[in-house]
Amino acid sequence: MILAAVFFLSLSSLMYEVLLTRFFSIAQWNHLSFMVISIVLFGFGAGGSFLRLLSIEKAGRQLFLKSDSVIKVVLLLFAITVWSSFLLVNYLPLDYFLLPVEKIQVLYLFLTFLILTLPFFFSGVVTALAYSFAGQRAGRLYFLAMSGSALGALSAVFLLPLLETGGAILFSGIIPLLLLFLPGRRRLLFATAALIMACAFFFIYLYGGGALKEVKPSVYKQLSQLMRLPESVIIRSSDSAEGRIDLVESPYLRYAPGLSLKYTGEIPGHKAVIRDGDEMLILSDPDQEELMSFARSTHSFAGYALSGEAEKALIIQRGGGLALPAALAGGAEEITLLTELPGIADLLKEHYVKEHYVKEQLNILPGNPRSFLAANPANYDLIQVENWGSSVPGTASLSEEYLFTVEAFEEYLLHLTGRGLLIISRKLLLPPSDSLRLFSAAFEALREMNIKTPQAHLLVIRNWDSYSLLVSLSPFDTDSIDKLKDFCSTLNFDLVYYPGIRADEANIYNRFEQAFHFSRLERLVLALESSTEEEFFHNYMLDVSPSRDNRPFHNRFSRWLRIDELYRSTGSRFYTLFLSGEVVILTVLFITITVGAVLLLLPLIRRRINGSGLGPSMTIYFLCCGAGFILIEMAFIYRYTLLLGNAVLSFTLVLVCMLSFSGLAGLLIKRLDRAALQRLLSLLIFFLLLTLLFSGYIVRRCLGFSLPVRIVAGAILLFPASFLMGFPFPGAMSLLVKKPEAKAYGWAVNGVASVIAAVLAVLVAITLGVSQVILTGVSTYLVIWLVLLRLRRSDPAG
């Protein structure tokens, strides 16, 4: 019974974990999704600490805890807490932006953590109990737990389109209730409880329970704001692992970043596609008379104004919706529009091809832009990357963005014709940050392509809220610069940079108190020209150094040692710090360390663990075991976001493969002794070092393959390290730890270490890079190797 319970609870727990990441992506923002891993592992660790407090070594208590009735009660509690935690958190008025001004928000945040931890606590109790008395079956138990977890992560992906996020979460809670129908005491009572919950699920899902299972987007998100307007309706909605997509119509829809204030016509577009409640893509009507005039009045059109003839254009679409009207207004004869999600691509085809018959010149494709460029040898007269960024600055600071790395710029430039242009339009930020980082990335890419004067290949213009960066393989000549000046003066756009710009040419039409963007960019260009950019980056208040594939966090600008300066520069408004990824991480890290210390110290205060139980060496062993696995897992998730072009696909593939492959190792534990375990650890460290050296290169080489081939290649790359990482934990449970109470405590230590490591992995990645996350993971396994060496020397017979 207990082995089956571990399998089904692992399946449901990981399904719930994956679904919670989708919940946070919709209800809040992606940068809070990483907290889900902390919540899950805290629950598991708390389950082990709870068992240690119960003194499970007593014979009578062992029989009671292992009884089928107790296991069934825990299964029922798991199901109840999955449902209640989702429903309560979905309706809890948590608003972390209000933490500095509303004390009640601190309570809401604590309750969110506590409520969401409960299902994983009950799952952790059963798993820790099973390990405590597994004996030589620890390897088999590890296999069941890992394979169940892998199946749960995979099942979540397939259930999302069928049940949507809320319905899939409710369904994940009732899966373990199948075991309540097994023979045993009070079978009728347990079976009745299971049937009641199953009937409740079908009632909620089928009969008017939509409000109960609907995930509510944050009030700050664009979908919530738009639905407040009269006559706004959601025409269609779909949900998948890649994101929730809403097709919305509103007569009051107004979305035109980069529009000139001189434009007096109608703003076209009354339909929009919104991803995860915030990433808005406007659907324009190509038949509308004013659309062409509107498009020519945006600074995104600058590329077409300069090029004159852009016969072949590539649009990389990530929200917005202005790039396609600009291409049509610019007279592009062949337009390729690339968007990440197939669901959005289908809506675009339906709108532009089926309804408005823009088909002769328009080819709409779904896919990863970096993969498309790697596989496609074609060159374009104009490449436009439309990605305006999050509606709330700072909320994307922890999200990977592989469209704006130095390597991405090199790909764009290599796909331009001789006189071709790359144009990227973004929101304008103060203090200047996004524009400086984007400029420096383009400059570095040009320099690495052996272009002697990169500054001559770059232009920047702006209006009051956004800017456009233009990059060319050929230096901009006097004629091009004159065209740009005429374009800006006609539409009242401000020049920010062109080679030889004067101070009196900046900050004319859309005036700031000072020419902030011009002056900061002028200093950056001087530093880049003199190869002293490192000094500039070091001294600047924000981190604006170019992002690379190894550190792809384009939207993260805060610096650890300059938080006080940032605080003063934003008017000493404390709440603005909560828009910084670092502050969010530090807050979560403080919570994890504090609660983790309580979970580990509480059993020791109540009952001291003696030398024959879990001593200092084995405590370090389990700490490193939990931390190492999560660090490597997080590093692969970051790497594979580039490979697959989607963070959720990356998360799912890495979780499924690592859990499956490591679970296979559990089947071989019976054949091992301590010496063999140490040899396997040596082999693991070797493969992890190979991963550190070559994984980035292999990922880039695989980008040009089709998605199925990339998935297979990713799984193959994961296999050696994942399989070998499956030996340390069950090996310790089977070979190194004997007492049940010590095993329960070891499970708790492993869980708490995993929680803290998940947060530290994010910190290391955004500060130093993904390679450094792998190196940190290698260090933890080296410590395990040294612990094993010490144990073998102190007990050679072992």
Side-chain angles (χ1 to χ4, degrees):
M1 174 68 179
I2 195 168
L3 293 180
V6 167
F7 176 82
F8 278 99
L9 284 172
S10 299
L11 187 154
S12 290
S13 296
L14 261 292
M15 185 185 297
Y16 190 26
E17 177 182 355
V18 173
L19 295 170
L20 277 179
T21 63
R22 292 295 315 129
F23 169 79
F24 273 111
S25 295
I26 299 169
Q28 298 290 334
W29 271 275
N30 284 321
H31 77 305
L32 294 181
S33 297
F34 81 96
M35 292 195 304
V36 173
I37 298 175
S38 300
I39 291 168
V40 172
L41 297 172
F42 255 139
F44 290 162
S49 293
F50 175 73
L51 278 186
R52 183 66 188 91
L53 286 170
L54 292 181
S55 302
I56 57 175
E57 67 273 14
K58 296 180 180 179
R61 192 161 294 176
Q62 291 179 22
L63 293 175
F64 171 73
L65 291 173
K66 290 192 296 182
S67 66
D68 288 355
S69 295
V70 171
I71 300 300
K72 288 180 178 180
V73 168
V74 177
L75 292 173
L76 189 58
L77 289 172
F78 172 85
I80 292 172
T81 51
V82 166
W83 280 37
S84 59
S85 62
F86 165 66
L87 295 174
L88 287 171
V89 170
N90 197 25
Y91 285 88
L92 198 66
L94 171 65
D95 186 342
Y96 84 99
F97 291 120
L98 296 178
L99 277 171
V101 293
E102 288 187 5
K103 294 181 180 179
I104 191 66
Q105 293 296 331
V106 177
L107 176 62
Y108 291 153
L109 181 62
F110 174 76
L111 287 175
T112 299
F113 269 82
L114 178 63
I115 292 168
L116 290 177
T117 298
L118 288 176
F120 304 105
F121 166 77
F122 290 115
S123 180
V125 166
V126 173
T127 307
L129 185 65
Y131 274 118
S132 298
F133 304 108
Q136 293 300 311
R137 294 187 304 169
R140 182 184 173 194
L141 175 61
Y142 187 76
F143 169 75
L144 288 172
M146 290 302 200
S147 58
S149 298
L151 183 59
L154 191 61
S155 300
V157 175
F158 291 102
L159 280 175
L160 270 169
L162 300 174
L163 303 178
E164 300 183 346
T165 301
I169 286 176
L170 296 177
F171 182 75
S172 70
I174 64 175
I175 293 175
L177 298 185
L178 292 171
L179 298 180
L180 299 189
F181 294 95
L182 295 178
R185 295 179 61 188
R186 302 184 181 88
R187 177 186 179 184
L188 181 60
L189 178 63
F190 287 120
T192 302
L195 285 173
I196 290 173
M197 290 202 68
C199 291
F201 168 76
F202 286 108
F203 175 79
I204 291 173
Y205 187 74
L206 296 175
Y207 299 103
L212 287 176
K213 63 183 180 64
E214 180 185 357
V215 178
K216 300 184 176 186
S218 166
V219 294
Y220 302 106
K221 288 197 168 186
Q222 290 175 327
L223 179 60
S224 299
Q225 297 290 328
L226 185 60
M227 295 310 295
R228 290 182 175 184
L229 300 176
E231 301 179 53
S232 298
V233 292
I234 296 177
I235 302 173
R236 197 183 311 168
S237 184
S238 63
D239 208 348
S240 70
E242 296 173 322
R244 169 176 154 178
I245 301 172
D246 294 285
L247 178 61
V248 184
E249 184 172 13
S250 173
Y252 304 102
L253 187 59
R254 300 290 185 270
Y255 186 77
L259 182 64
S260 168
L261 294 178
K262 292 186 73 174
Y263 178 75
T264 58
E266 182 181 349
I267 296 178
H270 299 301
K271 287 184 180 179
V273 178
I274 301 179
R275 177 185 178 184
D276 284 344
D278 195 56
E279 187 181 288
M280 184 182 292
L281 171 60
I282 299 297
L283 302 180
S284 301
D285 183 354
D287 303 323
Q288 193 170 349
E289 293 182 4
E290 290 191 318
L291 179 62
M292 298 301 106
S293 174
F294 165 80
R296 293 189 184 99
S297 300
T298 63
H299 58 64
S300 299
F301 188 76
Y304 297 95
L306 265 63
S307 63
E309 295 182 0
E311 296 181 0
K312 196 173 181 181
L314 171 66
I315 298 171
I316 296 174
Q317 193 81 63
R318 187 73 186 268
L322 305 184
L324 181 55
L328 294 172
E333 297 177 4
E334 183 181 339
I335 304 170
T336 300
L337 192 153
L338 190 66
T339 185
E340 181 183 326
L341 301 188
I344 294 179
D346 291 341
L347 289 173
L348 289 171
K349 289 178 183 177
E350 180 182 323
H351 180 79
Y352 287 109
V353 178
K354 293 182 180 179
E355 295 181 12
H356 296 287
Y357 306 105
V358 186
K359 54 185 177 182
E360 291 81 6
Q361 64 191 115
L362 179 60
N363 184 26
I364 300 173
L365 301 172
N368 175 8
R370 296 285 298 274
S371 295
F372 175 84
L373 292 171
N376 181 18
N379 293 98
Y380 300 89
D381 298 306
L382 193 140
I383 297 176
Q384 183 162 359
V385 182
E386 187 171 14
N387 181 345
W388 297 96
S390 173
S391 62
V392 179
T395 54
S397 58
L398 303 183
S399 300
E400 309 99 299
E401 182 55 87
Y402 287 99
L403 293 180
F404 300 137
T405 63
V406 173
E407 294 85 350
F409 270 99
E410 290 181 14
E411 286 285 352
Y412 301 145
L413 294 171
L414 289 172
H415 283 77
L416 289 176
T417 57
R419 300 291 297 178
L421 286 175
L422 165 67
I423 181 166
I424 300 176
S425 301
R426 299 278 290 169
K427 290 181 179 177
L428 206 60
L429 300 180
L430 276 176
S433 48
D434 189 280
S435 55
L436 298 183
R437 171 165 283 168
L438 207 63
F439 188 96
S440 61
F443 190 101
E444 187 63 29
L446 288 164
R447 184 156 56 186
E448 291 185 2
M449 295 173 68
N450 297 318
I451 291 177
K452 294 182 179 179
T453 55
Q455 65 272 20
H457 299 248
L458 296 161
L459 303 171
V460 183
I461 62 175
R462 69 168 178 86
N463 67 351
W464 63 277
D465 73 333
S466 54
Y467 73 95
S468 283
L469 168 71
L470 290 86
V471 191
S472 174
L473 275 177
S474 303
F476 289 106
D477 54 22
T478 304
D479 183 55
S480 296
I481 294 173
D482 288 341
K483 285 182 180 179
L484 183 70
K485 290 180 179 180
D486 290 341
F487 176 77
C488 290
S489 62
T490 301
L491 295 170
N492 286 6
F493 292 134
D494 283 288
L495 295 165
V496 181
Y497 174 79
Y498 70 82
I501 186 173
R502 304 188 312 272
D504 60 358
E505 294 180 286
N507 201 36
I508 296 174
Y509 302 108
N510 306 275
R511 295 181 62 86
F512 289 96
E513 183 181 350
Q514 300 176 29
F516 296 112
H517 298 89
F518 162 76
S519 62
R520 303 305 188 274
L521 193 52
E522 183 183 43
R523 294 179 201 170
L524 174 61
V525 171
L526 290 174
L528 290 167
E529 288 176 339
S530 60
S531 299
T532 58
E533 63 269 21
E534 292 303 322
E535 182 181 351
F536 174 88
F537 295 142
H538 176 76
N539 293 329
Y540 195 63
M541 175 178 57
L542 299 172
D543 181 0
V544 294
S545 59
S547 57
R548 291 183 174 271
D549 286 349
N550 186 54
R551 195 170 71 105
F553 301 94
H554 174 83
N555 300 294
R556 175 258 179 188
F557 303 107
S558 302
R559 307 182 67 167
W560 299 111
L561 302 179
R562 309 292 282 272
I563 289 291
D564 58 334
E565 193 174 340
L566 175 63
Y567 172 67
R568 292 194 301 271
S569 71
T570 54
S572 300
R573 293 187 292 268
F574 186 66
Y575 73 90
T576 59
L577 296 182
F578 282 82
L579 302 179
S580 163
E582 284 86 346
V583 175
V584 174
I585 298 172
L586 287 175
T587 303
V588 176
L589 183 62
F590 174 77
I591 294 172
T592 57
I593 292 176
T594 302
V595 179
V598 172
L599 289 177
L600 295 185
L601 293 176
L602 202 58
L604 300 181
I605 294 172
R606 185 181 183 278
R607 179 182 174 87
R608 188 168 177 237
I609 298 179
N610 55 42
S612 62
L614 194 65
S617 294
M618 287 309 302
T619 301
I620 294 172
Y621 182 104
F622 281 113
L623 283 170
C624 292
C625 199
F629 195 98
I630 290 297
L631 287 166
I632 301 301
E633 182 181 277
M634 293 288 287
F636 271 115
I637 290 172
Y638 287 133
R639 282 270 194 265
Y640 281 22
T641 300
L642 171 61
L643 179 67
L644 304 180
N646 183 277
V648 178
L649 285 179
S650 170
F651 181 79
T652 305
L653 178 66
V654 171
L655 235 63
V656 170
C657 290
M658 288 192 69
L659 294 173
S660 300
F661 297 153
S662 61
L664 292 174
L667 299 176
L668 304 177
I669 289 297
K670 281 186 177 181
R671 306 179 185 180
L672 303 181
D673 55 17
R674 292 186 183 182
L677 184 60
Q678 188 161 23
R679 287 194 294 270
L680 287 169
L681 268 168
S682 301
L683 192 59
L684 169 60
I685 293 170
F686 171 73
F687 273 107
L688 289 178
L689 289 173
L690 291 180
T691 299
L692 174 65
L693 294 173
F694 299 110
S695 62
Y697 172 79
I698 293 172
V699 165
R700 287 192 295 273
R701 295 294 297 176
C702 291
L703 279 176
F705 299 135
S706 65
L707 180 59
V709 174
R710 279 180 277 139
I711 290 174
V712 172
I716 293 172
L717 181 60
L718 277 167
F719 177 77
S722 300
F723 176 69
L724 292 168
M725 285 165 63
F727 286 101
F729 181 79
M733 288 293 191
S734 179
L735 302 172
L736 305 177
V737 182
K738 302 302 180 184
K739 289 192 172 186
E741 66 273 20
K743 290 183 178 182
Y745 191 70
W747 169 261
V749 171
N750 182 82
V752 170
S754 300
V755 174
I756 298 172
V759 183
L760 287 176
V762 180
L763 284 178
V764 174
I766 67 173
T767 306
L768 301 174
V770 179
S771 295
Q772 284 67 26
V773 178
I774 299 175
L775 186 61
T776 308
V778 173
S779 302
T780 61
Y781 282 106
L782 182 60
V783 172
I784 295 176
W785 188 90
L786 293 173
V787 169
L788 272 176
L789 181 64
R790 181 180 182 281
L791 291 175
R792 287 184 62 198
R793 287 178 175 175
S794 61
D795 184 13

